[in-house]
Amino acid sequence: MSLTPEDADPSEQRAVARPTAANAQPNRVTFNRLELNRILNLYGRMVADGEWRDYAIDFLKDRAVFSVFRRASEVPIYRIEKDPRLARKQGMYSVISATGILRRGHELERVLLVIDRKLAVV
């Protein structure tokens, strides 16, 4: 007995035609869970202090960007970028303000120290 197209399971046909989630966006740079957790922890503290109000995340072909805004209608006050092309040179992480690059490095934690104002004991 041979199966004709009418006898075939319709879910099998859809499974072949549908791209998988992993292959849907190839060549995109993203923040991993640990990186995003560290950035969002900093963002939450700054929102609680009343300094930051909004953010945007962009996943581009060559880099991932987390932009921080004082107000939603303004240009970002800081951009936290991950650019893997610079991993062997200056470091893939950078914090950029409106005036230019504040810090670059190989470790996200150390790069974020430039804008992470922790309470200091006086």
Side-chain angles (χ1 to χ4, degrees):
M1 174 177 179
S2 67
L3 289 175
T4 62
E6 295 85 26
D7 295 336
D9 184 15
S11 63
E12 291 176 7
Q13 294 173 357
R14 284 193 301 257
V16 172
R18 184 179 348 138
T20 61
N23 294 333
Q25 294 291 336
N27 303 329
R28 297 280 179 185
V29 177
T30 61
F31 293 108
N32 65 32
R33 182 181 292 254
L34 295 175
E35 295 165 342
L36 199 54
N37 187 32
R38 174 62 178 101
I39 293 169
L40 288 174
N41 282 339
L42 171 62
Y43 175 78
R45 283 197 317 272
M46 296 302 244
V47 167
D49 289 343
E51 294 188 34
W52 296 353
R53 301 250 187 254
D54 200 8
Y55 72 93
I57 302 177
D58 296 310
F59 299 126
L60 307 171
K61 285 186 176 184
D62 59 339
R63 67 186 186 276
V65 182
F66 186 95
S67 302
V68 177
F69 299 87
R70 191 173 310 271
R71 290 178 190 77
S73 62
E74 295 181 350
V75 295
I77 54 175
Y78 296 112
R79 289 188 338 254
I80 302 164
E81 293 191 2
K82 176 182 179 181
D83 190 346
R85 295 176 301 166
L86 300 174
R88 292 183 174 246
K89 297 176 184 174
Q90 301 126 344
M92 77 168 88
Y93 302 106
S94 59
V95 173
I96 303 169
S97 71
T99 59
I101 298 171
L102 298 178
R103 184 176 282 179
R104 279 193 178 148
H106 298 282
E107 299 172 14
L108 179 63
E109 188 72 30
R110 296 195 64 188
V111 171
L112 290 179
L113 288 177
V114 73
I115 56 175
D116 189 4
R117 297 183 197 102
K118 295 181 179 176
L119 296 176
V121 178
V122 181

